[in-house]
Amino acid sequence: MAQTVIIEEAGGPEAMQVVDRDLGAPGPGEVRIAHKACGLNFIDVYQRTGLYPLELPHALGMEAAGIIEAVGEGVTHLKPGDRAAYAATPPGAYAQARIMPATQVCALPEGISFEHAAAMMLKGMTVEYLFHRTTPTARGDTVLFHAAAGGVGLIACQWARSEAITLIGTAGTDEKCALALAHGATHCINYRTEDWGTQVQELTGGKGVDVVMDAVGADTFDGSLDSLKPLGMMISFGNASGPVPPFNLAVLAQKGSLKITRPTLFAHMADRDACQDMADHLFEKVLSGAVEIRIDQRFPLAEVRAAHAALEARKTTGSTILEI
């Protein structure tokens, strides 16, 4: 039996409940993994609330780390006893153990703890695809990154610094701005006390930025487009403030032949080799010391409702994990 967090209907944090599940043996192409820690991400909130619908009832959670207990037929890259970590579909990571497809489960280097792996797989590989697979970014480029003090943001700040990319961050308090700056942001703007759009133009000499990386959504979308230089790229990769409403594509032409994309991590990592390549790039950054994974909140699995409430209220910084 394994304790697992499920929802039977979409709703607030109270919709989650902890149940016991029988696991059994993994089938072909599957592994059974005993978790040591699980990560929290905004996609978990989107799935819980029904913004990203699930077939209910359904378990929640998209990333975790632990030890492989058994492998099914055809699984060759993992074996029982291996340390492993993942960010993967289908949801179900909020659990003591689970059976899941093996494709996106990666061997975990000894130098990275289970806790840090659980805190970084989804966020870190998101940063990897944002900087390396969505649009070309290079030394000297300028990126505007919203929610720069969050779990993805603090990794992005360090990643940008390691590659000599100027990162202008936004955050909701002076303390969060200081945190982003300490982690490598070149500038950080308190969006509650400053006009961040005006500040971006001043910081870029009126030219705008090469790329916007925006997981906030509705609240920042229009200002993000206005912050881009001509031919710039808008990457909308999340909806923390709600989904972006429909807009007229002609606006992109009017603002300078802008480009826009709405990518997902799981499309980038659907191929086994691509997934491992992304994970290895992340592991390299962490093991080299270029990126430090900051865990600022820890909750027992049984307190998952409180964890979601804190995340949804934007009261968290860095990464949040569930301890098993």
Side-chain angles (χ1 to χ4, degrees):
M1 301 290 283
Q3 288 191 333
T4 304
V5 176
I6 69 165
I7 57 170
E8 295 183 339
E9 58 182 18
E14 70 282 353
M16 295 180 290
Q17 55 184 301
V18 181
V19 300
D20 288 324
R21 281 186 164 179
D22 290 319
L23 293 183
E30 294 181 331
V31 296
R32 187 175 73 232
I33 180 170
H35 292 154
K36 299 297 184 181
C38 312
L40 267 71
N41 298 279
F42 249 100
I43 191 173
D44 307 342
V45 174
Y46 304 155
Q47 291 169 343
R48 191 203 75 223
T49 61
L51 180 62
Y52 293 176
L54 298 173
E55 185 176 341
L56 302 177
H58 209 296
L60 293 179
M62 302 296 289
E63 69 178 342
I67 296 174
I68 300 297
E69 293 186 322
V71 302
E73 180 183 353
V75 177
T76 59
H77 67 286
L78 295 166
K79 65 183 184 302
D82 281 352
R83 305 172 80 249
Y86 67 85
T89 56
Y94 292 177
Q96 292 175 325
R98 69 180 294 198
I99 290 174
M100 64 181 296
T103 303
Q104 279 80 41
V105 182
C106 300
L108 179 65
E110 287 289 342
I112 299 175
S113 72
F114 293 118
E115 290 79 10
H116 285 100
M120 78 181 191
M121 291 299 287
L122 192 145
K123 303 171 190 69
M125 288 200 288
T126 294
V127 171
E128 202 276 350
Y129 88 70
L130 288 173
F131 280 88
H132 296 279
R133 298 170 193 267
T134 308
T135 191
T137 55
R139 185 184 188 92
D141 284 351
T142 301
V143 169
L144 172 61
F145 199 102
H146 293 296
V152 177
L154 291 184
I155 295 173
C157 290
Q158 296 173 85
W159 204 290
R161 178 175 60 187
S162 76
E163 301 195 351
I165 292 170
T166 297
L167 187 145
I168 301 172
T170 68
T173 67
D174 289 343
E175 291 76 15
K176 286 187 175 183
C177 285
L179 190 60
L181 292 169
H183 281 74
T186 313
H187 311 280
C188 196
I189 304 163
N190 184 337
Y191 64 80
R192 296 188 190 279
T193 60
E194 300 181 70
D195 182 338
W196 60 266
T198 298
Q199 288 291 311
V200 169
Q201 293 302 319
E202 291 181 359
L203 290 169
T204 60
K207 295 178 180 179
V209 301
D210 297 282
V211 182
V212 176
M213 301 177 181
D214 186 351
V216 175
D219 287 355
T220 51
F221 183 75
D222 291 337
S224 291
L225 291 182
D226 290 337
S227 296
L228 284 166
K229 63 174 57 173
L231 306 180
M233 170 64 86
M234 169 70 175
I235 307 175
S236 176
F237 69 102
N239 314 283
S241 67
V244 175
F247 75 102
N248 185 350
L249 281 175
V251 170
L252 301 179
Q254 296 164 8
K255 294 181 181 293
S257 296
L258 304 181
K259 295 164 283 187
I260 187 166
T261 184
R262 180 58 173 89
T264 69
L265 170 62
F266 304 108
H268 281 282
M269 60 187 286
D271 176 78
R272 166 71 206 149
D273 291 339
C275 177
Q276 189 64 59
D277 184 59
M278 293 171 71
D280 287 344
H281 197 178
L282 173 61
F283 296 155
E284 176 189 344
K285 288 283 188 183
V286 173
L287 290 170
S288 72
V291 170
E292 177 186 356
I293 305 302
R294 181 182 176 116
I295 302 172
D296 285 347
Q297 296 82 213
R298 298 170 182 263
F299 294 85
L301 184 65
E303 295 181 13
V304 65
R305 293 177 177 178
H308 266 236
L311 182 65
E312 204 167 5
R314 301 191 201 182
K315 294 182 178 179
T316 64
T317 55
S319 295
T320 303
I321 62 169
L322 298 174
E323 298 174 318
I324 306 299

